[in-house]
């Protein structure tokens, strides 16, 4: 650390002392403002401007005088003496001519020699001859190479002078020395030409020192003669001469630019100013100015209070640097005055003239402590009154014998320097600034991306202020701060805008360069604050503090308007604060003051927000409560939301202003107010509507909910810890329930209208076009699911924010969807049945015959043994209906996933009451009745058979369901289900009818069953063998489920409805083909293959069925295959018709159903149905058995439909073909010809294994798989014991995934738990096994009863010991 640094004082301490004691080293350094009169300021500004006029370079003009030949003057200065100026100059870049100068000089010299030079002094022949001599030496390559390397101007000057001397001496006698003066004049012309080359190529700006030295050399060369032209006199002519003379000063204001500027500043005319100049002209002289400088220099040397002292600086080092620079500036200014008026130097001895000092050219030379500032006109040196060509030392100038001590305290010690220079400078700067701002002729600065166009100080005003600062010895930084203080006063008086204030700050800091426009550039003068005066530091801090206070006040007032539609922009205020106030190291923010401002601003914003809300309330909500509508609340909410969004967008980039978030202040004020008012208004509207009996429109409630939720969302984002004042969902949930009720009442009409407008045809553009998979369903199913989706989307779009209520809404909609699907399926099934049950042409003909004609035709057909099997003519519309059901199933599954049924159910379950607190009453019960089969029915037709179908009805003779017709069968199997919903016990009657094409249908028999919910408390399926009142019996499988208000239940019920409709339609289609299947796969066909007609052995076989049959020739493979050729052709014809309309899924479904019909038919060929009675059916022999299994393999391959070329299966998948029934049939081959005793032992072993499994599975809730059989009647048939079969509950059918999974589990259980049913069916064809069949039946009844009792006990224990049936109604 330097010595001067160790002597530094603390700035704050010095400033505080300065402010408290009011001490200053001189009057101009005091921070207090001196009262300055405009007239005094004007006079001091005028005298400085006038002095600038006096010291400016004198103008010259050409003047021709016929004076006689003057005597030859001899040069008193040698060329070596003249070149000493260049030898004293330090060797740096600024003293060398630039690169490219030699070529430009060569061009200029060529122009002189060719007479193209514009200057007249270069047109003389002697000048051209001298320049030609130099040009010869100049163009030598060695010389040019050396000059390009050294680039020293003195070498050019010396070479020119040498060549000029040689050229001019030619023809002169040794005594004639007139050529010497001519050589100096020609050298001056050459120096001037060099200067012109520098100026014309804009090199003089970069090399001001070189240009100054050249000008000085030219002046010295012209000391004896001002005429640079070669006049005729110079050439020996007898006429007059033309000389360049100095133009005398006019002392007129019109020739004084700065004086005119001062006159405009103070609003005076040129005449008034001219009068003042004439008045004070004897006083305002160069001599007085020189005397001021001498006096100031003396005061500086004496450390007088009239100049700055060390106490005015914070660092002694800064004071030393300033004093050193000040001495140099004074020397240059004195020399400039003497140069302008050489007469002032006559009284000074020659030894005391300024001397050049090489050491003064160091980096600490002239103005080293005053870098360029915005208030310095360095770009115009010709207008400066003190610019000289070289640094000089003026310490040897005699300052005279003045008694300075007596005048230290006088204010009139100087002529040009006012008593308080700082106050005067500030006053004049303010006047200049105000004048230029109001000057309409002054063009604003060019706008940039960083600052707008502004008008600050004109170039002339800046020149005046610079001259004032120079003459009054005000440091550059003081000039800037005083100017800024004047600007501050203008800003506080609201005379200037923020843009102008910003421009002033940028102006005093320095404009950014082109390469640094995006960077913050601070003038080094502003950044190096260790060189500042203490009074400047204190004043600058006061300026920043005052501006900060004013800007904060403006910011507060501006922010009070931030909620208006067109709020004022705070960006200019924030920009000035952040970039010019807060970033300045001289400004210090007080945290307490900033917090107080933030608090006041926040309170003010809240008050404005409250006022804004009140204006919205008055605008959108009428005073009369009877006129209130939801629309008012919605519009008020929209206004509040729009305002919040506008403020959020407005302050998106800068959310906080001085620590205050305008959006937070807004929403914290208006959102609670709006929420409370909205609650009160909505409550009042609903109360009035209830009183008057009017209903508020549902859409108004939905719109209100959307608006309120938007408000709540904004409230939650801004106030995360503050709860919303009321529950929107609880208030407006009734509108959703009303909308759901309206939808429920309209759903049936929607479905009916969709069906009514549908023609049930494929949706192709032309009839010949082959429909795609997506075109094979009609528009009705699309319309109803579009309605379903719109209904669900309407609730989804509400974005209901209560999960439990939303789940309940979806549950109610699921019920509506189920209702619509049930209606759609019911109507489609009715139309489908009507189309499928239509009469054939033969049947229509028979219907028109008389009763006698019918009997005659029937007798004729019977005598001819004619069986008519004709293909059924399907309608395409029927297949489209089946496609619609398949499409509806897939759409419902998609809808189930979109609704997220499981999540809704989980939400309801999570909010449900504990089990002990739930009401265990079930109002509705769903009974699923499956009409399985019948046996030993009465024959009603003349052919000894019947065409049975079943009708279910209630005790009031209302038809509940009707099965399909099974033709020519006394042991039919229907496997059809129906759902019956009841609230209590219900008696059902099952009536078996015989379909008859002629006349009325015959009643085969009746049976009744009571469906009592109390008997199904365990919710286990039961099977009932009901004896008909005539002959035979019928098997019903019954299960019960409590109808629950559960979304999974409703979707499951809808799925089951679709699947049952789909299954019934498919079965109806396959029933039209089953007659031909039975015809082709019959025992008659077997007999035709194994025999050639009726023989004695054939007849005897009827009487000896149990005797071993004699071997007959087996039919060939071709004969066996040909037996199925007609069946395959029949399938192909029908499949071709179906394939034109059915979708691929529906096609596979129909083929799968046909495959099941094939398996049932083949199973009927092999064994009789399961029963406890012996059967009259004959057991097949080995040949017949082999033929049947070959048929099974042929049919398996046919339905699998493998392409021989590609190997791709196009039919029924393998996993469907290989069903449990298929495996049961294939296992018959192992037991079919076993002895009866062996079959009985196998059956007993399997029964024991089943009993053991039942014992090991006591801890399971469901009954073991083999504890009961659907085949036996007796007590089990009367009581209805639990079945071993899995119940197809609604919950297992809630989507396609659960249905597929349940089916897979069913198949796994069938394979994992084999039973002896097939063995018992074989034993029915063995008369010796009749007793075993009865014993086995009683055993199964006992096991089933034990399983039922065990299940009841287990369920009772799981219910906590309570009564199992306590939740069921009792009679």
């Amino acid at each position: 650390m330097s010595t001067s640094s160790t002597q530094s004082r603390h700035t704050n301490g010095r400033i505080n002392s300065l402010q408290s004691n009011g001490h200053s080293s001189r009057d101009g350094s005091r921070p207090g403002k001196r009262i300055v009169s405009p007239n005094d300021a004007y006079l001091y500004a005028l005298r400085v401007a006038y002095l600038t006029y006096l010291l400016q370079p004198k103008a010259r003009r050409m003047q021709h005088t016929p004076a006689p030949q003057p005597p030859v003057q001899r040069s008193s200065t040698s060329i070596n003496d003249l070149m000493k100026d260049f030898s004293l100059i330090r060797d740096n870049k600024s003293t060398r001519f630039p690169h490219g100068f030699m070529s430009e000089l060569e061009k200029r010299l060529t122009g002189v020699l060719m007479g193209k030079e514009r200057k007249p002094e270069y047109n003389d022949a002697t000048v051209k001859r001298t320049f030609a001599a130099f040009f010869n030496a100049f163009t030598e390559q060695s010389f040019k190479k050396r000059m390009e390397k050294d680039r020293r101007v003195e070498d050019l000057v010396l070479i020119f002078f040498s060549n000029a001397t040689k050229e001019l001496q030619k023809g002169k006698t040794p005594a004639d020395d007139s050529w010497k003066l001519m050589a100096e004049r020609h050298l001056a012309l050459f120096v001037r030409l060099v200067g012109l080359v520098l100026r014309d190529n804009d090199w003089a700006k970069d090399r001001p020192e070189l240009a100054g030295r050249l000008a000085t050399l030219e002046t010295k060369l012209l000391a004896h003669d001002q005429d640079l032209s070669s006049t005729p006199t110079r050439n020996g002519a007898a006429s007059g001469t033309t000389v360049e003379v100095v133009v005398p000063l006019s002392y007129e204001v019109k020739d004084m630019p700065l004086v005119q500027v001062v006159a405009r500043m103070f609003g005076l005319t040129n005449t008034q100013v001219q009068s003042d100049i004439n008045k004070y002209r004897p006083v305002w002289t160069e001599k007085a100015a020189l005397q001021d400088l001498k006096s100031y220099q003396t005061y500086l040397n004496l450390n007088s209070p009239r100049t700055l002292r060390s106490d005015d600086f914070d660092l002694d080092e800064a004071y030393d640097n300033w004093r050193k620079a000040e001495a140099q500036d004074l020397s240059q200014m004195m020399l400039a005055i003497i140069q302008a008026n050489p007469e002032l130097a006559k009284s000074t001895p020659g030894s005391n003239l300024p001397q050049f000092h090489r050491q003064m050219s160091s980096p600490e030379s002239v103005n080293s402590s005053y870098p360029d500032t915005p208030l310095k006109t360095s770009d115009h040196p010709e207008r400066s009154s003190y610019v000289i060509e070289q640094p000089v030392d003026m310490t040897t100038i005699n300052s005279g014998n003045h008694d300075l001590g007596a005048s230290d305290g006088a204010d009139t010690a100087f002529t040009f320097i006012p008593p308080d220079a700082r106050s005067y400078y500030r006053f004049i700067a303010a006047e200049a600034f105000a004048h230029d701002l109001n000057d309409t002729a002054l063009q604003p600065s060019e706008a940039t991306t960083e600052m707008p166009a502004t008008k600050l100080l004109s170039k002339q005003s800046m020149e005046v202020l610079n001259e004032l600062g120079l003459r009054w010895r005000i440091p550059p930084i003081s000039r800037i701060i005083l100017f800024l203080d004047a600007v501050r006063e203008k800003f506080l008086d609201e005379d200037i805008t923020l843009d102008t204030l910003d421009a002033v700050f940028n102006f005093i800091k320095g404009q950014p360069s082109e390469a640094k426009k995006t960077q913050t550039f601070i003038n080094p003068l502003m950044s190096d604050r260790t060189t500042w005066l203490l009074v400047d530091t204190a004043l600058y801090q006061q300026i920043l503090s005052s501006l900060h206070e004013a800007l904060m006040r403006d910011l507060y007032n501006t922010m009070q308007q931030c909620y208006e539609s067109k709020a004022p922009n705070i960006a200019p205020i924030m920009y000035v604060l952040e970039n010019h106030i807060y970033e300045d190291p001289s400004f210090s923010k007080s945290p307490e003051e900033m917090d107080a401002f933030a608090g006041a601003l926040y309170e003010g914003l809240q008050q404005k927000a409250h006022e804004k809300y009140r204006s919205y309330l008055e605008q959108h909500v009428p005073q009369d409560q009877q006129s209130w509508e939801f629309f008012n609340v919605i519009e008020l909410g929209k206004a509040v939301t729009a305002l919040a969004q506008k403020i959020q967008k407005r302050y998106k980039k800068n959310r906080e202003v001085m620590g205050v978030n305008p959006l937070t202040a807004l929403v914290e004020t208006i959102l609670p107010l709006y929420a409370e008012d909205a609650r009160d208004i909505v409550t009042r509207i609903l109360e009035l509507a209830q009183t008057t009996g009017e209903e508020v429109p549902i859409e108004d409630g939905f719109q209100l909910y959307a608006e309120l939720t938007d408000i709540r969302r904004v409230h939650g984002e801004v106030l995360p810890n503050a709860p919303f004042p009321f529950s929107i969902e609880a208030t407006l949930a009734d509108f959703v329930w009303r909308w759901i009720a309206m939808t429920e009442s309209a759903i049936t009409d929607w479905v009916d209208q969709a069906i009514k407008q549908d023609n049930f045809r494929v949706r192709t553009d032309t009839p010949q076009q082959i429909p795609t998979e997506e075109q094979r369903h009609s528009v009705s199913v699309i319309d109803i699911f579009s309605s379903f989706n719109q209904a669900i989307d309407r609730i989804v779009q509400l974005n209901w924010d209560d999960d439990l209520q939303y789940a309940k809404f979806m549950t109610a909609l699921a019920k509506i969807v189920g209702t619509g699907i049930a209606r759609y399926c019911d109507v489609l099934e009715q139309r489908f049945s009507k189309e499928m049950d239509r009469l054939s042409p033969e049947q229509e003909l028979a219907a028109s015959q008389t009763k006698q004609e019918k009997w005659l035709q029937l007798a004729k057909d019977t005598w001819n043994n004619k069986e008519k099997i004709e293909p059924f003519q399907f309608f395409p519309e029927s297949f489209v209906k089946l496609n619609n059901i398949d499409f509806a199933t897939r759409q419902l599954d998609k809808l189930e996933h979109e609704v997220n049924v499981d999540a809704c159910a989980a939400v309801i379950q999570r909010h449900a009451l504990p089990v002990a607190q739930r009401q265990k009453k079930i109002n509705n019960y769903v009974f699923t009745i499956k009409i399985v089969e019948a046996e030993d029915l009465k024959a009603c037709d003349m052919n000894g058979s019947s065409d049975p179908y079943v009708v279910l009805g209630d005790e009031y003779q209302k038809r509940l369901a009707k099965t399909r017709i099974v033709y020519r069968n006394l042991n039919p199997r229907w496997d059809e289900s129906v759902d019956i919903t009841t609230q209590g016990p219900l008696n059902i009657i099952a009536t078996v009818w015989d379909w008859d094409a002629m006349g009325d249908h015959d009643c085969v028999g009746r049976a009744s069953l009571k469906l009592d919910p109390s008997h199904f408390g365990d919710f286990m399926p039961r099977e009932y063998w009901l004896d008909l009142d005539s002959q035979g019996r019928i098997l019903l499988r019954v299960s019960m489920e409590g109808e629950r208000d559960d979304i999974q239940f409703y979707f499951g019920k809808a799925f089951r409805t679709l699947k049952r409709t789909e299954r019934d339609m498919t079965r109806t289609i396959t029933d039209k083909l089953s007659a031909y299947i039975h015809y082709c796969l019959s025992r008659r066909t077997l007999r035709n293959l194994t025999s050639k007609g009726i023989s004695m052995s054939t007849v005897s076989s009827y009487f000896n069925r149990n005797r071993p049959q004699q071997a007959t020739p087996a039919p060939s493979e071709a004969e066996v295959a040909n037996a199925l050729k007609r069946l395959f052709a029949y399938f192909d014809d029908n499949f071709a018709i179906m394939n034109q309309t059915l979708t691929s899924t529906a096609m596979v479904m129909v083929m799968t159903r046909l495959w099941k019909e094939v398996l049932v038919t083949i199973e009927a060929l092999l064994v009789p149905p399961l029963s406890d009675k012996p059967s009259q059916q004959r057991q097949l022999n080995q040949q017949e058995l082999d033929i049947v299994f070959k048929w099974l393999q042929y049919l398996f391959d046919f339905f699998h439909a493998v392409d021989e070329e590609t190997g791709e299966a196009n039919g029924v998948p393998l996993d469907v073909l290989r069903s449990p029934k298929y495996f049961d049939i294939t296992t018959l081959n192992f037991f079919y010809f076993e002895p009866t005793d062996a079959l009985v032992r196998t059956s007993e072993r399997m029964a024991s294994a089943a009993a053991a499994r039942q014992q090991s599975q006591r801890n399971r809730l469901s009954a073991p798989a083999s504890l009961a059989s659907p085949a036996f009647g007796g007590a089990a048939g009367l009581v209805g014991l639990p079945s071993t079969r899995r119940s197809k509950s609604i919950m297992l059918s809630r989507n396609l995934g659960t249905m597929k999974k349940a089916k897979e589990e069913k198949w796994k259980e069938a394979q994992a738990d084999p039973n002896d049913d097939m063995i018992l069916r074989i034993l029915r064809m063995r008369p010796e096994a009749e007793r075993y069949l009865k014993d086995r039946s009683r055993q199964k009844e006992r096991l089933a009863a034990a399983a039922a009792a065990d299940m009841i006990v287990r369920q009772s224990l799981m219910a906590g010991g309570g009564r199992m049936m306590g939740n069921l109604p009792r009679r």
Side-chain angles (χ1 to χ4, degrees), residues 14 24-25 29 307-314 532-534:
R14 185 73 63 83
S24 178
S25 59
S29 300
T307 63
L308 297 178
R309 296 184 299 180
S310 61
D311 291 341
D312 295 307
F313 293 88
D314 185 47
W532 286 22
L533 300 178
L534 294 179

Side-chain angles (χ1 to χ4, degrees), residues 739 743 785-798 806 809-810 813-814 817 892 895-896 898-899 1051:
W739 184 86
T743 304
F785 270 94
S786 176
S787 301
F788 295 159
N789 286 316
Q790 289 177 5
I792 293 176
D793 289 343
R794 190 67 185 92
I795 301 300
V796 172
Q797 290 170 1
L798 290 176
Y806 177 80
F809 296 157
M810 290 295 110
L813 288 177
V817 170
L892 184 63
L895 187 63
E896 192 263 352
E898 291 176 352
V899 172
F1051 266 95

Side-chain angles (χ1 to χ4, degrees), residues 311-346:
D311 291 341
D312 295 307
F313 293 88
D314 185 47
L315 299 176
D316 291 340
E317 182 180 3
Y319 171 71
D320 295 338
N321 292 335
W322 170 82
R323 184 185 176 107
K324 184 178 180 181
E326 193 76 356
Q328 296 174 2
D329 283 354
L330 291 173
S331 300
Q332 292 190 42
M333 294 171 68
M334 293 179 190
L335 182 59
I337 294 175
I338 294 175
Q339 184 179 3
N341 190 354
E343 296 295 331
L344 296 176
K346 292 183 178 180

Side-chain angles (χ1 to χ4, degrees), residues 946-1236:
S946 295
D947 302 320
Y949 66 92
V950 180
V951 175
L952 287 182
D954 60 9
E955 52 191 325
Y956 305 104
Q957 297 183 356
K958 178 183 178 181
R959 176 181 287 192
L960 302 177
K962 174 181 175 295
T963 68
R964 74 187 192 283
I965 302 171
V966 179
Y967 296 97
R968 292 182 294 278
N969 200 323
L970 298 179
N971 298 293
R973 189 176 185 90
W974 294 281
D975 284 328
E976 295 188 21
S977 300
V978 61
D979 287 341
I980 299 175
T981 302
T982 180
Q983 295 181 350
L986 177 68
N987 291 318
I988 62 170
I989 300 173
T991 304
V992 182
W993 294 88
D994 171 53
W995 180 86
D996 199 342
M998 297 175 294
D1000 297 332
H1001 299 180
D1002 301 325
C1003 180
V1004 178
R1006 290 183 177 88
S1008 63
L1009 177 66
K1010 183 179 182 179
L1011 300 179
D1012 193 343
S1014 62
H1015 297 164
F1016 291 84
D1018 55 358
F1019 297 99
M1020 293 295 294
R1022 285 171 169 74
E1023 295 181 345
Y1024 296 91
W1025 276 105
L1026 305 177
D1027 293 328
L1028 301 178
D1029 57 1
S1030 59
Q1031 175 185 333
R1033 57 183 181 172
I1034 184 172
L1035 176 61
L1036 301 181
R1037 184 175 298 129
V1038 183
S1039 62
M1040 186 194 74
E1041 287 186 89
E1043 186 171 285
R1044 296 178 292 174
D1045 188 20
D1046 184 272
I1047 188 171
Q1048 293 178 328
F1049 177 85
Y1050 291 132
F1051 266 95
K1053 189 175 181 180
F1055 268 110
R1056 191 161 69 172
T1057 301
L1058 287 171
K1059 296 304 291 184
R1060 283 183 178 175
T1061 304
E1062 184 181 69
R1063 183 183 64 238
D1064 292 344
M1065 286 183 174
T1066 305
R1067 181 180 285 128
T1068 302
I1069 293 173
T1070 56
D1071 284 347
K1072 300 301 179 182
L1073 310 179
S1074 61
Y1076 200 71
I1077 295 174
H1078 297 159
Y1079 174 79
C1080 295
L1081 301 177
S1082 62
R1083 291 193 172 231
R1084 183 179 59 184
T1085 306
L1086 284 175
R1087 288 195 303 269
N1088 292 337
L1089 282 175
T1090 56
S1091 64
K1092 302 299 182 180
I1094 300 177
S1095 61
M1096 291 302 296
S1097 60
T1098 304
V1099 175
S1100 62
S1101 65
Y1102 286 101
F1103 301 96
N1104 301 287
R1105 286 179 297 177
N1106 294 329
R1107 294 183 181 180
Q1109 301 294 324
Q1110 295 181 359
T1112 57
S1116 64
E1117 290 286 338
E1119 292 175 339
V1120 175
N1122 287 334
L1124 298 181
K1125 183 178 295 184
R1126 290 183 298 171
L1127 179 61
F1128 289 158
Y1130 183 72
F1131 282 159
D1132 288 338
D1133 293 342
N1134 285 278
F1135 288 168
I1137 296 173
M1138 296 177 187
N1139 197 40
Q1140 294 177 1
T1141 307
L1142 288 178
T1143 62
S1144 58
T1145 305
M1147 190 68 192
V1148 171
M1149 193 162 44
V1150 172
M1151 293 178 66
T1152 301
R1153 182 61 200 172
L1154 281 176
W1155 170 247
K1156 291 181 179 180
E1157 191 68 28
V1158 167
L1159 292 179
V1160 170
T1161 304
I1162 290 178
E1163 183 184 44
L1165 284 176
L1166 297 174
V1167 291
L1170 188 63
S1171 177
D1172 59 345
K1173 299 178 181 179
S1175 174
Q1176 298 300 321
Q1177 182 174 335
R1178 179 184 62 83
Q1179 186 172 348
L1180 300 179
N1181 58 32
Q1182 186 65 51
Q1183 282 188 359
E1184 294 171 336
L1185 186 66
D1186 292 342
I1187 292 172
V1188 169
F1189 277 104
K1190 288 181 181 178
W1191 284 351
L1192 180 62
Q1193 185 60 44
Y1194 291 153
L1195 290 166
F1196 185 93
D1197 296 339
F1198 176 81
F1199 278 92
H1200 192 39
V1202 177
D1203 193 331
E1204 297 180 356
E1205 296 181 358
T1206 62
E1208 180 181 359
N1210 299 317
V1212 182
L1214 282 177
D1215 57 342
V1216 176
L1217 292 173
R1218 294 171 179 171
S1219 62
K1221 185 174 286 295
Y1222 174 79
F1223 283 106
D1224 288 343
I1225 293 174
T1226 56
T1227 57
L1228 277 176
N1229 200 21
F1230 298 102
F1231 305 105
Y1232 201 74
F1233 296 110
E1234 286 289 319
T1236 302

Side-chain angles (χ1 to χ4, degrees), residues 171-182:
K172 302 292 183 180
T173 61
D176 186 4
D177 58 353
S178 60
W179 58 270
K180 293 184 179 180
L181 187 59
M182 186 63 68

Side-chain angles (χ1 to χ4, degrees), residues 51-59 249 255 257 340 382-385:
L51 178 62
T52 305
Y53 171 72
L54 294 178
L55 299 181
Q56 67 181 357
K58 303 301 186 292
L249 297 177
D255 297 327
E382 67 276 4
R383 291 191 180 181
S384 176
S385 59

